Amino acid sequence: MDVDFYADCRPRHLVYFSFCTCCHVFYIGKTNRFFKECMLKHLMDIAYAKETSALAKHVQAEGAQHVFNFMALEVMQPTIRGGDMSNKVEEMEQNGFYCCKLTGFQD
């Protein structure tokens, strides 16, 4: 997978890829919040063992040595005309999932 842009923790409206450093498990998510807030939410869910978080469930099941790294896959830039950013980001998430599935990122 080629990533042809730079994204720090400040973008909003993005699709991200999170992968376990110990095994080949990955998670593709979307957020309309700042990327930093999204990552912190996942880390807090892991720290507090939230049952609603797929990443937290993985760490609980496999052990604390399983750590996730995050990478922005695509950032949606708002246009002058605006539009429903949530729907656009959701569509990007689905496209990102199929891209990763086709390029062999799954287990």
Side-chain angles (χ1 to χ4, degrees):
M1 174 185 343
D2 292 332
V3 177
D4 59 355
F5 65 93
Y6 170 77
D8 58 14
C9 61
R10 293 176 290 204
R12 297 177 63 178
H13 312 296
L14 60 98
V15 175
Y16 60 93
F17 178 81
S18 181
F19 61 95
C20 179
T21 59
C22 291
C23 57
H24 298 290
V25 172
F26 70 90
Y27 173 83
I28 294 176
K30 64 178 171 41
T31 186
N32 289 306
R33 297 181 294 176
F34 291 107
F35 193 27
K36 179 180 179 178
E37 291 175 11
C38 176
M39 290 185 290
L40 288 174
K41 171 81 167 87
H42 280 298
L43 295 175
M44 293 302 289
D45 288 349
I46 291 169
Y48 291 108
K50 296 276 184 160
E51 289 293 320
T52 57
S53 169
L55 302 184
K57 285 181 184 178
H58 178 77
V59 172
Q60 284 178 324
E62 302 298 327
Q65 72 276 14
H66 286 253
V67 177
F68 282 89
N69 286 342
F70 293 85
M71 177 176 70
L73 289 179
E74 193 166 353
V75 177
M76 173 61 71
Q77 298 298 330
T79 64
I80 294 172
R81 294 180 60 153
D84 188 355
M85 294 298 286
S86 294
N87 283 341
K88 291 177 183 178
V89 171
E90 189 167 328
E91 185 178 312
M92 284 189 331
E93 177 191 31
Q94 292 170 358
N95 291 340
F97 174 75
Y98 293 120
C99 170
C100 290
K101 193 170 186 179
L102 292 173
T103 57
F105 277 110
Q106 80 263 17
D107 228 359

